[in-house]
Amino acid sequence: RRLGEEMGFTLHVMPPVELNGGVVSSSRIRQALIAGQMDAAAEMLGRFYSVCGVVIAGQHRGRLLGFPTANVHVNGKRTLPPDGVYAAFAVLDGERLPAVINLGVRPTFDAGERLLEAYIMDQAGPLDLYGREIVVEFVKRLRAELKFDAVSALIAQMHDDVRTTREVLAGVDLSRYEPAPSECGR
């Protein structure tokens, strides 16, 4: 205020934004993300929490299982929700496409490097996305990442995850949420 008086501008102090009995803050949003509470994070942000990355080549296991995935290399400085399976949207060229996301280490196969894999639903065939930027909007955490004793059990669970994702996304009112930034540079 003192500087405003000296330099000729007016300061207007805005009250904090409150939601569900608490102040909306970056710390509170980060806590919701870390807890996998994607709906709470989206409500505070006014949009779905999103990450952006470049699609990189993987081991093509998803394609062999009937669920071709885009392996998304995400900037390591971004806060990511806990490992698990998520109902989401993959945004390509500004278009939201329904997707099932697996974030984790793939314990059924190799428990290797942490990776974000996006299965974009309802495509006629595998998309050629290598080297392209993709935005992933997390809508809801469906379950924790699991290790399956048999590949057939994993495939059955993947079918259930697709069915559940369809139900979740069908109930989303997109008019309530701003679109995610469409470019990784933002």
Side-chain angles (χ1 to χ4, degrees):
R1 288 183 182 159
R2 183 181 55 77
L3 283 174
E5 290 171 4
E6 291 174 15
M7 302 180 83
F9 64 85
T10 305
L11 172 69
H12 297 278
V13 178
M14 301 301 294
V17 175
E18 293 191 20
L19 184 65
N20 299 326
V23 174
V24 174
S25 67
S26 59
S27 296
R28 188 170 167 211
I29 294 167
R30 195 175 304 105
Q31 288 171 348
L33 292 173
I34 291 169
Q37 299 168 341
M38 307 317 294
D39 53 345
E43 191 171 3
M44 287 184 280
L45 287 167
R47 65 176 176 83
F48 299 115
Y49 183 71
S50 63
V51 296
C52 184
V54 176
V55 177
I56 58 173
Q59 297 179 343
H60 305 290
R61 277 199 194 105
R63 188 173 296 172
L64 295 173
L65 298 174
F67 297 89
T69 60
N71 299 312
V72 182
H73 181 279
V74 178
N75 179 329
K77 295 179 182 177
R78 289 300 305 257
T79 299
L80 290 172
D83 289 355
V85 176
Y86 294 83
F89 290 106
V91 183
L92 289 166
D93 301 323
E95 182 181 1
R96 279 181 167 143
L97 303 170
V100 179
I101 304 299
N102 185 77
L103 178 61
V105 296
R106 301 158 315 285
T108 300
F109 296 105
D110 56 13
E113 171 188 12
R114 190 174 193 215
L115 187 65
L116 189 155
E117 299 175 285
Y119 169 61
I120 301 173
M121 300 173 3
D122 305 328
Q123 300 303 305
L127 298 171
D128 182 17
L129 300 176
Y130 296 123
R132 289 186 59 192
E133 291 182 345
I134 186 172
V135 177
V136 173
E137 296 178 314
F138 292 91
V139 176
K140 181 177 173 101
R141 186 170 196 243
L142 302 180
R143 62 177 177 84
E145 187 178 42
L146 303 171
K147 180 174 182 171
F148 294 89
D149 293 331
V151 172
S152 60
L154 170 62
I155 292 171
Q157 181 62 58
M158 292 166 76
H159 282 288
D160 285 346
D161 294 337
V162 167
R163 179 188 48 74
T164 303
T165 295
R166 286 187 198 291
E167 292 170 4
V168 167
L169 297 182
V172 172
D173 178 2
L174 290 176
S175 68
R176 292 186 56 212
Y177 302 101
E178 292 291 321
S182 60
E183 298 174 9
C184 290
R186 287 184 163 177

